[in-house]
Amino acid sequence: MTSALSFTATDFKARCLEILDRLASHEFTRVTVTKRGKVVAVLTPPEPADAAVRSLHGFMRGSVIAPADLDLTAPVLDEPFLADEGVLHR
């Protein structure tokens, strides 16, 4: 795996799809794009899907404990829904 590469904006434009494919396959860890000698973009490969989901949805994992006998599908309201009575808007 090549750690990092740098391309001019012109070279990147000409080889964009190839570079992105190689980045996605983790062949590169970082791609820098320069324009007139200045860095204008830094690209990194995406996280593996399971790591991305875990960081997005699992950051509070283990912080809430529900009792084993709790039915999470049971209704929580004591009064009926207005829609049950045919009222859709108030």
Side-chain angles (χ1 to χ4, degrees):
M1 172 163 58
T2 305
S3 61
L5 287 180
S6 183
F7 294 92
T8 65
T10 304
D11 290 339
F12 180 77
K13 183 178 176 183
R15 300 175 55 195
C16 177
L17 295 178
E18 172 201 347
I19 293 167
L20 292 177
D21 287 343
R22 293 173 74 181
L23 192 63
S25 69
H26 295 268
E27 193 172 324
F28 306 137
T29 57
R30 178 183 170 119
V31 172
T32 304
V33 182
T34 61
K35 192 172 183 180
R36 295 185 182 100
K38 294 186 178 187
V39 175
V40 294
V42 177
L43 307 170
T44 58
E47 292 182 52
D50 60 334
V53 168
R54 204 171 17 262
S55 69
L56 179 64
H57 297 290
F59 69 96
M60 291 187 68
R61 183 174 290 129
S63 65
V64 176
I65 299 171
D69 61 341
L70 178 65
D71 181 4
L72 295 173
T73 63
V76 294
L77 295 177
D78 294 334
E79 67 271 2
F81 290 108
L82 293 176
D84 290 339
E85 299 168 7
V87 179
L88 300 180
H89 300 284
R90 271 195 172 183

